[in-house]
Amino acid sequence: SSLQGSILQGWVDFNKDGDGKRLWTLLEQAKREDMRVGVISTARITHATPAATFAHINDRNNENAIALQALPGDATYNRRLGDGIDLLFGGGRQFFVPTTTIDDEGGSGSRTDGRDLRTEFQTKGYSYVYNTAGFNSLTRKSLPVLGLFERCHMEYEYDRPSDAGGEPSVTDMTLKAIDLLS
């Protein structure tokens, strides 16, 4: 019927690939209630599991696009996040750095669009940290904050002490997030 066709077209337009209604993520629901929110992961922050809390990208491997959904003001920004995610801690710096740029610890980026999202997040008011010294200096006044401690996934606990810039443990990140967001 015509009505059924209109509803299906609405789903396609809303979700862009027609696989169903776009559901509300946990972070979107919390932001709707005016809560502060954060994402902490020892994986890449743009990896499928942490990204599921803030992004609506149907290709888990499109981590460059996932990073943009967390950037307030970007054309693809997830507007359900209101003024933005208050805290992002994890790995995955490569998806925030262009291929033509060497990152904070000597690695290359993977963004082919030439955009340096570290700078763009800072322009939107985010504090940016990539090592233990920057992490330890964070206070509530630092919010919102983007902490990208590795180019890819963060180091295993055993290897963490030998990391070039130093990086916090998942326990450190969790305790810091509780302090900053409370």
Side-chain angles (χ1 to χ4, degrees):
S1 80
S2 175
L3 177 60
Q4 187 178 29
S6 295
I7 291 171
L8 289 175
Q9 183 60 46
W11 283 348
V12 170
D13 291 343
F14 187 65
N15 201 33
K16 302 299 182 208
D17 72 354
D19 67 351
K21 184 179 175 189
R22 185 171 129 186
L23 302 175
W24 285 77
T25 70
L26 186 60
L27 265 63
E28 292 167 348
Q29 292 175 50
K31 288 303 271 190
R32 189 169 53 182
E33 298 297 321
D34 293 323
M35 298 173 77
R36 290 184 182 162
V37 299
V39 179
I40 301 165
S41 180
T42 56
R44 297 183 305 265
I45 206 73
T46 53
H47 200 262
T49 301
T53 65
F54 65 87
H56 294 276
I57 300 289
N58 291 322
D59 180 355
R60 68 183 292 150
N61 296 314
N62 195 352
E63 294 183 61
N64 286 332
I66 290 168
L68 286 173
Q69 287 218 328
L71 176 62
D74 185 75
T76 63
Y77 173 65
N78 178 359
R79 288 175 180 78
R80 287 183 176 179
L81 296 170
D83 57 356
I85 301 169
D86 300 288
L87 180 143
L88 291 150
F89 285 160
R93 189 170 48 238
Q94 72 188 53
F95 301 108
F96 293 77
V97 177
T99 56
T100 57
T101 302
I102 301 301
D103 76 9
D104 307 291
E105 293 182 301
S108 61
S110 65
R111 296 198 67 80
T112 57
D113 59 9
R115 295 173 69 178
D116 190 332
L117 300 189
R118 298 168 304 172
T119 303
E120 292 187 43
F121 269 88
Q122 290 174 11
T123 301
K124 296 298 179 182
Y126 281 73
S127 300
Y128 169 68
V129 297
Y130 70 92
N131 61 18
T132 302
F135 175 82
N136 289 339
S137 72
L138 294 172
T139 67
R140 288 187 186 135
K141 291 183 182 194
S142 304
L143 290 175
V145 64
L146 173 66
L148 299 172
F149 304 107
E150 276 296 328
R151 179 181 183 280
C152 193
H153 297 299
M154 291 180 67
E155 300 286 348
Y156 290 111
E157 188 65 21
Y158 178 81
D159 298 323
R160 216 170 38 81
S162 63
D163 180 65
E167 62 186 53
S169 68
V170 69
T171 301
D172 296 334
M173 292 188 293
T174 302
L175 293 172
K176 178 71 83 170
I178 291 168
D179 178 51
L180 296 178
L181 297 173
S182 60

